[in-house]
Amino acid sequence: PPPSDAPPVPPLPVDPSDPGKDIYGNESFPAVDGVDLWPLLTSPHGAGANASAAHPTLWLSHEVLLSGRYKLVVAQPDPALMESKHVDNGWMDPSGTWTQSSDAEYGCNAYRNRSHFRPCLFDVEADPTERNNLADAMPDVVQRMWAQLNYTQLTAFKARTPAALLGSCDKRCAENHWHRLGTQKTQGPICGVPTCT
């Protein structure tokens, strides 16, 4: 559907040669598409809904894109940068049971070679546990989705609050506030926290 809520100032054109360029500035934002997701969230199998009922493509992160029945994973975190310092390859079933797997049977273990990233492609309808990497068998789908993921990165919007409305920013005070409320990792906004004026 066409955008239903266009910004008052249109964004700048996308420039692939300058991927860090902020195309929105402080006066623009991406148009809102007007798709009501509530029925899909509350009854995902009702009314003929499918994985791409709201949008044919869904950007999940800088590394992951869903397009119809396919999921592209272009990178995974470097275990050395993770809090646990390691990755457990495997699958968790809906009951919460974890099945460990070896590198040989894990569908997307290319992250272990940090010098040459290779994307993984899964058919999430036929293979919901993502055990079979289809990237080598379907290079055209990988290239199309990777290009779409890269283009999406160029148009990513980072919400920001005008400085006049932001409030004071005190990281230590904010962390103490969130900790008092019972959060485990004391993560939350650091600006505009009511007890940190």
Side-chain angles (χ1 to χ4, degrees):
S4 61
D5 188 12
V9 175
L12 299 171
V14 171
D15 181 0
S17 68
D18 186 6
K21 181 178 181 180
D22 179 2
I23 65 170
Y24 298 106
N26 289 325
E27 303 297 324
S28 189
F29 51 84
V32 178
D33 64 18
V35 175
D36 182 4
L37 299 177
W38 189 248
L40 300 172
L41 295 172
T42 56
S43 59
H45 301 293
N50 60 52
S52 57
H55 297 281
T57 301
L58 180 62
W59 179 86
L60 296 180
S61 71
H62 293 287
E63 300 84 18
V64 181
L65 184 77
L66 285 173
S67 182
R69 63 186 304 142
Y70 296 107
K71 178 180 179 180
L72 180 75
V73 180
V74 298
Q76 290 182 335
D78 182 348
L81 301 176
M82 296 169 59
E83 189 174 321
S84 65
K85 302 296 182 209
H86 73 282
V87 173
D88 288 325
N89 288 337
W91 302 270
M92 184 176 293
D93 68 26
S95 71
T97 303
W98 179 259
T99 302
Q100 191 71 30
S101 76
S102 67
D103 278 353
E105 64 182 333
Y106 187 66
C108 191
N109 60 18
Y111 67 88
R112 295 205 183 271
N113 179 357
R114 307 304 294 176
S115 64
H116 180 70
F117 288 104
R118 291 181 34 224
C120 299
L121 181 70
F122 300 103
D123 180 337
V124 293
E125 290 180 18
D127 177 25
T129 58
E130 301 175 10
R131 294 175 188 249
N132 303 306
N133 182 3
L134 303 173
D136 290 340
M138 303 178 74
D140 54 330
V141 175
V142 170
Q143 289 305 312
R144 177 182 54 79
M145 289 180 68
W146 204 347
Q148 190 170 16
L149 178 64
N150 287 332
Y151 183 81
T152 302
Q153 311 292 21
L154 294 173
T155 60
F157 178 71
K158 293 181 181 161
R160 50 215 169 241
T161 303
L165 300 177
L166 192 58
S168 65
C169 301
D170 183 333
K171 184 176 180 181
R172 178 172 284 168
C173 178
E175 286 177 347
N176 288 335
H177 173 79
W178 300 122
H179 183 70
R180 283 191 304 275
L181 291 178
T183 58
Q184 295 296 320
K185 295 188 176 183
T186 65
Q187 292 178 341
I190 62 169
C191 299
V193 177
T195 60
C196 302
T197 56

